[in-house]
Amino acid sequence: LSHPDCGHLFADLDTVILTKTITGFDSVTIAELRERIRDAAAGRLGRLKFLVVDFAHAGHAGPANSDEFDALITEAANLILSAPIVLIANARGPMAGADIEFALACSMLVGEAGAEFSFAEDPSVSMETYGFLAQKLGFVRAERLMESGEILTAQQMHDLLLLKDVIDDSEG
């Protein structure tokens, strides 16, 4: 996301793809993404089935502890209920911190084979990430994953059933 008119509409697929080119979630990125999610929910982007956030960046993001980010997470997690539009996160590179937290809030997470996923945080620091993992994996497994500091490959994420599909690099 780099400006208010970002995104590519694929009308034949009923899909809009938003490309995120920076790590983390600064206030501008949060505002733009919230606006696009609201636009999609209200039908201002056309009749969509899918809204894709393409994480096309390098580097690891830290946590995003802000009320605006929390509101974004809530809107993302509820889009399928309010629209219904499937919100998909497409991981192309390293995912950590706020980026992985947002991706886990989406209805579906897919990733390129070369993507890496790090949950190396104390569960008490990133309660949202821990909560999303606990819903999907169970509390003990989520805690162990976050405490281990291990960086997971896309295939490992798929094996844990956290990643819907592993896509060849650059085919996302």
Side-chain angles (χ1 to χ4, degrees), residues 40 47 121 144 158:
R47 291 187 53 138
E121 289 191 46
R144 297 258 160 57
H158 185 264

Side-chain angles (χ1 to χ4, degrees), residues 16-46:
V16 168
I17 298 176
L18 305 172
T19 302
K20 186 173 172 296
T21 57
I22 61 168
T23 59
F25 285 84
D26 60 15
S27 59
V28 172
T29 302
I30 291 170
E32 289 179 6
L33 196 48
R34 285 185 75 192
E35 186 175 337
R36 293 302 159 266
I37 289 172
R38 288 182 195 139
D39 287 346
R44 291 188 291 268
L45 299 179

Side-chain angles (χ1 to χ4, degrees), residues 20 22-26 30 57-66 69 94-102 118 120-121 125-126 129:
K20 186 173 172 296
I22 61 168
T23 59
F25 285 84
D26 60 15
I30 291 170
H57 56 69
H60 293 281
N65 296 324
S66 72
F69 184 71
M95 299 286 286
D99 290 328
I100 197 138
E101 186 173 326
F102 179 83
S118 174
E121 289 191 46
V125 172
S126 183
T129 301

Side-chain angles (χ1 to χ4, degrees), residues 2-168:
S2 57
H3 57 80
D5 297 321
C6 62
H8 300 288
L9 172 64
F10 294 90
D12 56 326
L13 300 175
D14 300 322
T15 302
V16 168
I17 298 176
L18 305 172
T19 302
K20 186 173 172 296
T21 57
I22 61 168
T23 59
F25 285 84
D26 60 15
S27 59
V28 172
T29 302
I30 291 170
E32 289 179 6
L33 196 48
R34 285 185 75 192
E35 186 175 337
R36 293 302 159 266
I37 289 172
R38 288 182 195 139
D39 287 346
R44 291 188 291 268
L45 299 179
R47 291 187 53 138
L48 296 181
K49 292 181 183 174
F50 306 100
L51 181 62
V52 179
V53 179
D54 180 24
F55 288 83
H57 56 69
H60 293 281
N65 296 324
S66 72
D67 292 338
E68 293 85 15
F69 184 71
D70 292 344
L72 170 63
I73 292 289
T74 299
E75 289 177 26
N78 291 327
L79 181 61
I80 194 165
L81 300 172
S82 65
I85 296 171
V86 176
L87 183 59
I88 302 171
N90 179 41
R92 290 206 262 165
M95 299 286 286
D99 290 328
I100 197 138
E101 186 173 326
F102 179 83
L104 289 170
C106 293
S107 302
M108 184 185 310
L109 173 58
V110 297
E112 291 187 354
E116 295 179 330
F117 303 83
S118 174
F119 299 99
E121 289 191 46
D122 180 344
S124 65
V125 172
S126 183
M127 289 307 293
E128 289 289 332
T129 301
Y130 176 66
F132 287 124
L133 284 173
Q135 287 175 352
K136 297 169 192 276
L137 299 174
F139 293 105
V140 172
R141 204 166 180 191
E143 186 175 336
R144 297 258 160 57
L145 181 61
M146 290 183 74
E147 288 176 344
S148 75
E150 183 180 0
I151 296 175
L152 303 178
T153 65
Q155 187 59 53
Q156 289 171 311
M157 289 285 287
H158 185 264
D159 293 346
L160 286 170
L161 304 177
L162 294 172
L163 197 69
K164 175 73 172 164
D165 201 3
V166 178
I167 303 163
D168 290 336

